[in-house]
Amino acid sequence: MARTASLSGFPEWLPEERLVEQHVLDTLRRVFELHGFASIETRSVETVGQLLRKGEIDKEVYGLSRLQDDEGGTPDRGGKADQHALALHFDLTVPFARYVVENAGYLAFPFRRYQIQKVWRGERPQEGRAREFTQADIDVVGDGELPFRYDVEIALVIAEALSALPIPDFQLRVNNRKLAEGFYRGIGLTDTAGVLRSIDKLEKIGPAKVAELLKSELGATDEQAQKALQLAGIRTGDLSFVAQVRALGVSNDLLEEGLNELEQVIDAAVQRAPGKVLADLSIARGLDYYTGTVVETVLVGHEQLGSICSGGRYDALASKGNRKFPGVGLSIGVTRLVSRILSQDLAKASRSVPTAVLVALANDDNWGAAQDVAAQLRSRGIPTEVAAKAEKFGKQIKFADRRGIPFVWFTDDDGTHQVKDIRSGKQVVAAPETWMPPAADLVVQVATAGAVPAQVS
Amino acid sequence: MARTASLSGFPEWLPEERLVEQHVLDTLRRVFELHGFASIETRSVETVGQLLRKGEIDKEVYGLSRLQDDEGGTPDRGGKADQHALALHFDLTVPFARYVVENAGYLAFPFRRYQIQKVWRGERPQEGRAREFTQADIDVVGDGELPFRYDVEIALVIAEALSALPIPDFQLRVNNRKLAEGFYRGIGLTDTAGVLRSIDKLEKIGPAKVAELLKSELGATDEQAQKALQLAGIRTGDLSFVAQVRALGVSNDLLEEGLNELEQVIDAAVQRAPGKVLADLSIARGLDYYTGTVVETVLVGHEQLGSICSGGRYDALASKGNRKFPGVGLSIGVTRLVSRILSQDLAKASRSVPTAVLVALANDDNWGAAQDVAAQLRSRGIPTEVAAKAEKFGKQIKFADRRGIPFVWFTDDDGTHQVKDIRSGKQVVAAPETWMPPAADLVVQVATAGAVPAQVS
């Protein structure tokens, strides 16, 4: 990872790095599909009007304009004023909401989908923050109503998916907006959005400054500020957070509802994903319009990387007239994870190409016969290349070696086939119809440092 | 396919349509990897300077500008003048060339890669021509030189890949620029690019008008124009094109070289991909900077759709100082193919979700036990959902039925498990540790009209 991107904020991987990324993507897809999530993709562009639908956004959006426009004008140009101008999506939630509304007549609700695509944000690039990056989202969306159970399920699916990746230990930190807002109301703070905005800064500016903010901007008393901070200080890996909240002596119906919801999530997680999910009452999720469960996720020991998976519950992910589509979902920052895996050598591909066997050429006329051997190997799932020229065998072996191709196939003039493991030098007589490499050599393995290699699907 | 895209030129698929697209993408990936092609992705944006590097381009490019730029200006805005401005790539060849130059020190040459990504062109949308679409490219690139054999191999790999797709019969139509240019020189026409440009219009305007063009624009004589048209009229599925060209009585070294190259491609194809590859001496490939083999591909019976796979040989795909990187590659228009498959019902997914089994709930307290059953099924690769609410069994069966989920799992109060095939109504006692659905129901199948279903990987 000595290389830096030639365009800041737009990372690109070498083939052996891309294999690690593919392993991550394939693993996520496999887990999502095992849980019945259907794949969709949405177009990369939305209208500016759609992107700004929820009002204020804090994302930097890239607008589009056609270069070769004859009038020299910019009909597609993303001016703030032009709601019909096109721009690249900055997340997968806004496009998904639009997709649900447009296709509501064709979808079966509750609709569960996964979506793995690139998104773009014109922000200042830094580690963990790219301008083009891949997100992997799962959401369940209902028509009119959506049982709370999906909040529990989504958290468990994500815990399972992240557990299958070659990454360090992680923690899903879960809170509930109803719990927080009910609590703030219970202590007499009515601008709950304002309180959340301040609490969101806790990690950045510390409790003393948050208390100041609460008092100066929201008119909180000393006691109110302290109570809000006490709530935000609660973090438990079990159900003890319930008693800790109750001990603060605040009573409010919304608080009770949120407490009950969060209890359901943590209760299931303690059993089904032990150690992976915490109740963390400091989680606020800034400007986003969540209405219940909220989640952020950190890699243990890599907390400064920021959240690698975030999301939560929207009472109205989308709406169409009076019809509301509540949703709950989480979004994994794939590029953020892959960048960290690569920069810290957390996992490695066993070779830089899919090829398991190189069929060598004894002379240039044998290319057709070599292709026959290759076709037989491929027909049994063995990735195979044929040498393009009958160079010296040493050179052909070097060709394989440079790419990490483990086996080179030779055919003698008398038609005898032999295959050489170029790592050990061991060479055996083999038949193209039956020979198989060991399973660990058949396809590229992505191995975690110190763990059992995982197979790339 | 009654739906039309909500934004013209930006197609989006329903979940059951996306399954067809995924099947196409998975199939291409599998074939490419079996042939040892490594995956890479490049960033979606290039600088305008990079996109215009080859001089004139006939593609409509989308430039980018940051909407929330504080100065109200457009620093990233794609003006023609600003070479550093950012724009979306319009193909995968230009970005690949840049990638090769930037990473030449890290790659093993000849380097073979596949690249499956979206590209964007701001053209007028029509069937087969979208503004955002997916291409699947394979290329082999050499350092300094690249044996011609790769031209042969690339054509065979593509023929194998297309044969594995749920599409009608196809024809790769292959020509060779050396053959054509040598021939034109041999008959005394020196503006070979000009002749190619005219010949490229053959299908659109017919031979009489092409002859007029050749005479009026390039000063060709009647006889020269007729010879050029005679050459373009040659199309054979075997090696007889060689004799037909020779019969035109033109002699030129470059012509001989091209004739020999094309003969190698067709000779291998006759043996290894019979009926799939033609020598078609009308293929010109317009403005693109090919230097040898050129390929276009049509779906038989869908010729008006245009080429579904095109490409060829560049003597200098990229260069770095004096160092040249010759390449040969082909690009499949995935979105064009998938649009046609869907609009003409050429293939269909067996259900709209990955789920094979819905675990029903007898009462709401059983959710945990149902999750245990689901986890056991998933651990053996069976995609499984759990009902979110203990609704009437009829309603839970309807939930499965609407999605095409073939099996519903019931657990009685005494712990007996039963699984019902909701298509036949047949219900059997089953154990979550051992029960397997038939292979055809395990994962979604994509079936071609009248063909054996193919398994989605």
Side-chain angles (χ1 to χ4, degrees), chain A residues 160-363:
Chain A
E160 187 176 327
L162 292 175
S163 297
L165 298 182
I167 55 172
D169 201 18
F170 62 88
Q171 289 180 338
L172 264 79
R173 298 177 173 175
V174 189
N175 195 2
N176 189 295
R177 280 272 169 98
K178 293 177 191 167
L179 190 166
E181 291 186 21
F183 185 90
Y184 303 150
R185 291 212 182 116
I187 58 173
L189 291 173
T190 49
D191 180 1
T192 56
V195 182
L196 279 170
R197 243 194 322 270
S198 305
I199 291 293
D200 200 29
K201 296 178 180 146
L202 201 50
E203 205 151 344
K204 237 181 234 162
I205 63 174
K209 288 209 171 128
V210 169
E212 268 173 51
L213 273 181
L214 289 171
K215 288 188 277 183
S216 64
E217 294 192 354
L218 299 164
T221 64
D222 242 344
E223 202 196 356
Q224 285 171 327
Q226 286 318 312
K227 284 268 184 192
L229 284 169
Q230 281 176 317
L231 185 76
I234 295 173
R235 185 194 285 181
T236 73
D238 56 22
L239 296 178
S240 60
F241 75 91
V242 180
Q244 291 185 34
V245 174
R246 293 244 160 81
L248 297 177
V250 177
S251 131
N252 175 283
D253 286 350
L254 194 62
L255 164 61
E256 281 306 313
E257 198 182 323
L259 208 47
N260 173 268
E261 289 187 355
L262 186 54
E263 191 176 5
Q264 288 185 55
V265 174
I266 303 302
D267 188 34
V270 165
Q271 297 170 54
R272 301 186 174 276
K276 302 297 186 192
V277 184
L278 305 180
D280 182 337
L281 276 49
S282 72
I283 299 301
R285 298 290 311 137
L287 275 179
D288 290 314
Y289 294 81
Y290 298 107
T291 51
T293 304
V294 284
V295 179
E296 293 190 354
T297 310
V298 295
L299 287 187
V300 177
H302 303 255
E303 287 80 1
Q304 80 297 352
L305 187 61
S307 179
I308 54 139
C309 175
S310 311
R313 155 77 69 148
Y314 293 90
D315 273 348
L317 174 77
S319 57
K320 190 176 187 175
N322 285 331
R323 199 169 162 194
K324 278 213 161 51
F325 299 94
V328 59
L330 285 168
S331 174
I332 297 176
V334 173
T335 301
R336 184 174 282 191
L337 277 178
V338 171
S339 300
R340 183 50 63 116
I341 292 170
L342 295 173
S343 70
Q344 312 234 332
D345 276 329
L346 301 176
K348 240 180 147 53
S350 56
R351 54 186 188 249
S352 69
V353 294
T355 318
V357 180
L358 173 73
V359 181
L361 283 187
N363 67 68

Side-chain angles (χ1 to χ4, degrees), chain B residues 181-197:
Chain B
E181 292 186 22
F183 186 91
Y184 303 150
R185 292 210 180 116
I187 59 173
L189 291 173
T190 49
D191 179 2
T192 56
V195 183
L196 279 171
R197 242 194 323 269

Side-chain angles (χ1 to χ4, degrees), chain A residues 102-166:
Chain A
E102 282 181 11
N103 297 295
Y106 299 91
L107 302 174
F109 292 98
F111 173 53
R112 51 169 70 207
R113 80 86 175 81
Y114 74 92
Q115 187 169 352
I116 302 178
Q117 283 186 259
K118 296 203 167 72
V119 305
W120 294 267
R121 296 183 190 174
E123 300 178 66
R124 187 202 304 262
Q126 50 186 319
E127 207 201 329
R129 206 175 284 277
R131 294 183 148 193
E132 173 176 63
F133 54 99
T134 300
Q135 288 194 332
D137 283 26
I138 55 172
D139 286 88
V140 184
V141 60
D143 182 0
E145 57 108 44
L146 183 72
F148 179 75
R149 216 145 227 174
Y150 287 110
D151 292 48
V152 181
E153 189 186 347
I154 285 269
L156 295 176
V157 174
I158 284 289
E160 187 176 327
L162 292 175
S163 297
L165 298 182

